[in-house]
Amino acid sequence: MAVSQNNLLDQVLAYANRPNPYPLFAQLREHPVLAQGDGRYVVSTYKEINDILHDPRFSSDMSKCYSKEDQRVVEEEGQIPGFVFLDPPKHDWLRHQVMSKFTPDLIYSQKPRLLEVVKEALDTRRNVQQLDIVDDVAYPVPVTIICEILGVPRSDEYLFHEWSDQLILGNDTSQARNPEIRMQTLKAIKSIRTYMADLINAIKRQPREGLLSAMLHDTTNEKLMSNDELVTTSVLLLVAGHETTVNLISNSMFTLLRFPEWLERLRKEPELAAQVVEEVLRYEPPVQMLRRTSLADVTIAGVTIPKGAPIHLIIAAANRDPEHFSEPDRFNPERKDIDHLGFGGGIHYCVGAPLARLETQVTLVELARRLENPQLIDAAPPYRLGASIRAPRHLFVHYDHMRD
């Protein structure tokens, strides 16, 4: 049954619709730019979202596009936002500091180690014929790799696991008005920043392998990041460096188990991994929506969005836009029209996209190769609470045997 256009966004954000938001997305696309009753705007079609992502008249600055409650968390902590929540020129400078070290050569050099980590994760479940794709594989693999890349002790994972989950939840549109979540998020921000500041001070005293040490002891730039900028950027890299991949691996395996013909093909044709991952990024993207605000009155698709209006870009709706993709509701890794928005676009295109792709491809190939006759234990698994990043919280799978 259709719902009022004035509360379509609230329906999308409602947890009850987390398992299948796509009928609501189809309703949204009937109005490419839709005003909600409270002044928010929702954009859901491919062309319009892609245009906005490349338009400097739309801001990612947290001080402009986040609620007063979101801003209060930042102000109380006295921190600067991560560069993904900033506009040029500050965004560009901070992003450059990261990209100059987080190079393609560094990323692709991780492949042998990545394969080791995936095999180690699977070997722990060799004799039990059941695993949770999320907790047993999708989480430990990218966490281990990002810790090693940054130079963060893997033994401290138990500390920042909960903080990271809370930061992601606290930044979620669907939870913005929950005072308990706001309080817990503020606590997590303080804890993870204290942890990272202490780690950075230790690296200052004793350089070590890893990206954090490289940024701290950089001699190629005339200007270095301030201590606050380094702490905030390090927290961002640690959290974003694994969260997207955890959910991409989970969504990928869930999708393959729902379409077992493709899982079998991947087992026989591991070279399909890259196409499978790109199609999952279109069909079931972990990042479902982004926030922006307009810096001026801007007319999009015949609708004028006023200056200062909060805007929700529904990436997952755009990725199934029939005006852009043929048979958009069909999972088809061999499709040619694969220019999805799963990693965003424009100047904020995901910094970690190459690493997320590599980690997911390697993990999926090993899962397909080693699990004999994998079957979902629960065809309707529980989803994570938030709406902005959507993926199963657990994904239990039974298999007859684990191959070597």
Side-chain angles (χ1 to χ4, degrees):
M1 181 173 65
V3 296
S4 167
Q5 294 178 13
N6 286 334
N7 73 342
L8 268 175
L9 179 58
D10 287 338
Q11 291 295 310
V12 169
L13 300 180
Y15 184 76
N17 292 312
R18 202 74 74 246
N20 184 21
Y22 294 101
L24 288 169
F25 294 163
Q27 288 187 52
L28 281 173
R29 285 195 302 268
E30 294 174 8
H31 308 275
V33 179
L34 184 61
Q36 299 295 275
D38 58 2
R40 294 175 295 177
Y41 283 75
V42 186
V43 187
S44 55
T45 45
Y46 185 96
K47 179 184 183 303
E48 284 66 35
I49 289 181
N50 192 47
D51 287 349
I52 288 173
L53 290 173
H54 291 82
D55 191 330
R57 295 175 296 175
F58 294 93
S59 173
S60 298
D61 192 324
M62 182 180 286
S63 68
K64 299 183 180 75
C65 61
Y66 280 60
S67 70
K68 291 181 179 179
E69 283 300 302
D70 288 308
Q71 295 172 37
R72 184 179 61 80
V73 170
V74 176
E75 291 166 359
E76 286 187 6
E77 182 57 20
Q79 62 169 302
I80 60 167
F83 62 82
V84 297
F85 303 117
L86 295 172
D87 292 336
K90 191 68 171 180
H91 161 272
D92 298 352
W93 184 79
L94 286 171
R95 183 182 174 106
H96 173 72
Q97 302 306 303
V98 172
M99 296 299 288
S100 65
K101 304 291 184 298
F102 196 58
T103 63
D105 286 346
L106 171 65
I107 291 168
Y108 291 110
S109 71
Q110 303 299 313
K111 189 170 182 178
R113 175 58 179 150
L114 173 57
L115 185 57
E116 287 180 3
V117 173
V118 176
K119 288 180 176 179
E120 289 168 3
L122 288 174
D123 284 346
T124 64
R125 310 298 296 175
R126 178 187 291 276
N127 300 317
V128 294
Q129 296 184 294
Q130 179 178 315
L131 59 77
D132 179 356
I133 294 293
V134 180
D135 284 352
D136 295 328
V137 183
Y139 180 78
V141 169
V143 165
T144 299
I145 296 302
I146 196 62
C147 283
E148 293 180 359
I149 287 175
L150 294 178
V152 174
R154 179 67 172 83
S155 58
D156 289 344
E157 179 274 334
Y158 75 98
L159 291 172
F160 58 75
H161 186 177
E162 184 177 347
W163 299 334
S164 177
D165 284 350
Q166 189 62 48
L167 289 179
I168 294 295
L169 185 60
N171 191 47
D172 192 272
T173 302
S174 66
Q175 307 302 316
R177 300 172 185 174
N178 186 318
E180 182 177 349
I181 288 177
R182 303 311 310 167
M183 180 181 68
Q184 293 300 320
T185 300
L186 180 58
K187 182 179 178 181
I189 289 172
K190 291 178 179 178
S191 297
I192 199 168
R193 282 180 59 82
T194 298
Y195 169 85
M196 194 59 72
D198 290 344
L199 178 61
I200 286 170
N201 285 333
I203 296 173
K204 283 180 179 177
R205 295 190 297 269
Q206 183 63 52
R208 64 178 72 175
E209 293 293 321
L211 195 63
L212 298 185
S213 189
M215 289 191 295
L216 263 172
H217 300 283
D218 188 355
T219 58
T220 62
N221 291 313
E222 292 182 6
K223 180 184 177 184
L224 299 178
M225 283 189 275
S226 69
N227 196 65
D228 280 348
E229 290 168 342
L230 189 56
V231 168
T232 300
T233 300
S234 301
V235 170
L236 175 65
L237 292 174
L238 178 62
V239 175
H242 73 272
E243 277 290 347
T244 298
T245 311
V246 171
N247 297 300
L248 179 56
I249 293 171
S250 303
N251 283 356
S252 297
M253 197 60 188
F254 187 26
T255 303
L256 288 171
L257 288 164
R258 291 162 58 205
F259 299 98
E261 67 275 15
W262 283 107
L263 185 60
E264 180 61 17
R265 281 198 60 181
L266 182 61
R267 185 181 70 81
K268 294 177 180 178
E269 305 169 61
E271 64 273 12
L272 280 175
Q275 292 168 262
V276 168
V277 171
E278 295 310 304
E279 177 67 342
V280 172
L281 282 161
R282 183 198 70 82
Y283 186 80
E284 291 281 10
V287 178
Q288 298 265 295
M289 63 189 73
L290 299 170
R291 283 187 274 185
R292 295 290 188 269
T293 195
S294 51
L295 299 176
D297 291 355
V298 184
T299 300
I300 302 287
V303 176
T304 298
I305 302 175
K307 179 180 179 180
I311 305 163
H312 297 260
L313 308 179
I314 312 298
I315 299 295
N319 279 346
R320 294 203 189 189
D321 187 345
E323 294 296 318
H324 191 81
F325 297 99
S326 61
E327 299 183 279
D329 292 322
R330 177 186 172 210
F331 179 71
N332 177 21
E334 291 183 319
R335 70 170 56 247
K336 303 303 180 184
D337 49 349
I338 199 60
D339 51 338
H340 59 76
L341 299 174
F343 285 125
I347 64 170
H348 289 284
Y349 187 83
C350 179
V351 168
L355 180 60
R357 285 184 164 110
L358 179 65
E359 290 173 328
T360 306
Q361 290 168 19
V362 171
T363 302
L364 291 182
V365 167
E366 281 300 290
L367 284 167
R369 183 183 72 82
R370 295 191 63 180
L371 300 185
E372 184 175 309
N373 190 31
Q375 301 288 329
L376 283 169
I377 293 175
D378 183 358
Y383 271 78
R384 296 182 181 276
L385 187 59
S388 299
I389 296 182
R390 174 180 169 271
R393 175 59 191 90
H394 296 286
L395 192 65
F396 292 103
V397 173
H398 178 272
Y399 46 91
D400 296 340
H401 173 70
M402 186 178 290
R403 303 180 183 95
D404 292 328

